[in-house]
Amino acid sequence: MTVIFIGTLATGPVWAEYADVVLNRYAESQGMRPVVFPHWFHRTRVKCKVCHSELGFEMRAGSNDVRMSDIIDGKFCGMCHNGNVAWSTEHCDRCHSGKPGLPSGIYGGNKTSGPSIW
Amino acid sequence: MRLLTGALLMLLGLATAWAATEPKDPRVWLQLQQDGIHDPEGPGVTVLQQPEEALKEMPPDFQGVGNQVDWVRALNQGVIQPIDNLYEATEVRRLDLDIIMPNTGEMPRVRFPHKAHTDWLDCSNCHDKIFVPKAGGNPTNMFVILAGEYCGRCHGAVSFPLTECRRCHSVAWSEPVKGGPQPLPSRVYEPVTEQVDPRLKQQGGNQ
């Protein structure tokens, strides 16, 4: 309990929007902020099947080994983030907008207080 | 003067009455700068769209459930028009077939709608990696789903969370249906905020 409390003090509470993904496998060790991928934003514009079938993103946080060089080569995010469909990789800080120190993974999924009766 | 005061008071009264009849939307989306994962000091965060701006006008889900948006309805109503494919050569596949999963213990049975899922996903997203396309061929249970397998690969992470038991467990045992593929037409569901478990109706519904 105390550990949790101290942890919260150290990092601040997290209330990310449901299904936000933090990608920090390489970013911070390369001197960049972690990447925040907002599922909600992309869902309003692109169906799941585009990234998870055409582009080859595995549907499991942590199982996609995405490097910046891949994106610049037009793979993964770079399929759209090429300055043509969506903003280009020149706008580093728009994707690399996460808090330093955040571990990779999917966020917001534990933040639900729906009407269900368990 | 008194007349003016009276008129003003009446207007105020009317405004209050109108406000009272408008149910207040309880849903709140945090600003990105306060969500705990964006760096408020970062130069990029001011350029990004705020969730509230995108989601507030979409068909609602309950307060606190996922993104608080009924995504399936938003798509069906054309409120959003997400693209199906990037490449022209990609075949866009859809299937309208409900499957009833009958091994649900004391819970109502599960009616799985292929249509709502293939509107978003391609067959290959689930078959055969997550589900064998054969009725009875998937020995799933709630423990493994909660651990992120089978339905839990998306539900509880990206699609509506696993607190919404009766959104999947919707077929009462009093309904005389068999497990497996169901004849058309598939079931059409009410908006999620209007779906009430009949057993809760006596207690004033879902809320």
Side-chain angles (χ1 to χ4, degrees):
Chain A
M1 188 68 212
T2 320
V3 174
I4 292 168
F5 181 67
I6 291 167
T8 309
L9 277 184
T11 56
V14 169
W15 300 288
E17 185 55 37
Y18 187 76
D20 280 354
V21 182
V22 170
L23 296 91
N24 199 7
R25 185 188 299 232
Y26 303 115
E28 220 174 324
S29 59
Q30 304 284 324
M32 292 296 291
R33 288 184 179 81
V35 169
V36 177
F37 172 84
H39 263 106
W40 62 268
F41 180 93
H42 289 83
R43 273 185 88 168
T44 58
R45 295 159 175 82
V46 185
K47 290 185 179 183
C48 321
K49 57 178 81 173
V50 172
C51 304
H52 291 296
S53 166
E54 285 184 295
L55 266 58
F57 272 101
E58 283 292 326
M59 298 194 295
R60 171 85 77 202
S63 54
N64 294 292
D65 192 13
V66 184
R67 291 173 177 272
M68 202 63 225
S69 52
D70 294 332
I71 298 171
I72 292 164
D73 288 346
K75 299 191 188 97
F76 294 116
C77 323
M79 280 298 311
C80 294
H81 282 279
N82 50 16
N84 187 8
V85 180
W87 67 58
S88 76
T89 50
E90 288 163 29
H91 299 282
C92 321
D93 292 316
R94 295 183 187 178
C95 304
H96 289 273
S97 61
K99 264 193 180 154
L102 281 183
S104 298
I106 194 151
Y107 284 73
N110 54 356
K111 186 207 68 167
T112 181
S113 51
S116 248
I117 303 297
W118 285 78
Chain B
M1 187 64 207
R2 189 181 296 175
L3 198 70
L4 191 67
T5 315
L8 275 174
L9 276 173
M10 211 163 103
L11 271 177
L12 191 69
L14 277 173
T16 317
W18 177 80
T21 53
E22 267 302 286
K24 194 175 173 299
D25 188 346
R27 297 171 303 157
V28 175
W29 292 271
L30 284 177
Q31 294 277 306
L32 298 179
Q33 287 85 341
Q34 294 142 20
D35 69 0
I37 62 169
H38 286 88
D39 184 353
E41 308 298 312
V45 77
T46 50
V47 184
L48 303 174
Q49 187 181 32
Q50 297 288 346
E52 183 173 354
E53 187 197 333
L55 305 177
K56 198 174 174 58
E57 299 307 322
M58 284 167 54
D61 199 327
F62 289 101
Q63 179 198 9
V65 175
N67 299 114
Q68 307 179 105
V69 161
D70 185 342
W71 285 104
V72 167
R73 196 151 265 91
L75 186 63
N76 290 347
Q77 292 177 353
V79 179
I80 50 174
Q81 288 123 14
I83 58 165
D84 271 297
N85 51 326
L86 277 178
Y87 311 120
E88 268 181 53
T90 303
E91 185 196 354
V92 178
R93 302 188 285 184
R94 288 199 176 83
L95 176 67
D96 186 7
L97 175 69
D98 282 2
I99 309 283
I100 286 187
M101 302 167 91
N103 302 326
T104 52
E106 289 185 5
M107 284 294 283
R109 287 157 294 175
V110 169
R111 189 178 185 113
F112 170 86
H114 268 99
K115 185 179 178 303
H117 288 83
T118 56
D119 279 349
W120 287 100
L121 293 151
D122 185 65
C123 318
S124 63
N125 290 133
C126 306
H127 300 310
D128 299 335
K129 275 188 294 189
I130 303 176
F131 285 97
V132 181
K134 178 170 159 288
N138 299 284
T140 184
N141 65 62
M142 227 44 235
F143 292 107
V144 294
I145 293 172
L146 283 157
E149 301 299 332
Y150 292 106
C151 324
R153 185 68 77 101
C154 300
H155 286 285
V158 177
S159 35
F160 70 76
L162 297 165
T163 48
E164 309 314 289
C165 316
R166 285 181 179 75
R167 219 171 280 179
C168 303
H169 290 272
S170 61
V171 185
W173 282 101
S174 54
E175 282 185 53
V177 287
K178 279 203 181 77
Q182 300 300 305
L184 292 171
S186 303
R187 185 189 287 192
V188 177
Y189 286 90
E190 297 292 300
V192 290
T193 51
E194 291 169 33
Q195 290 174 30
V196 176
D197 174 18
R199 284 177 304 174
L200 302 177
K201 268 190 177 158
Q202 299 109 14
Q203 304 162 26
N206 260 341
Q207 293 302 306

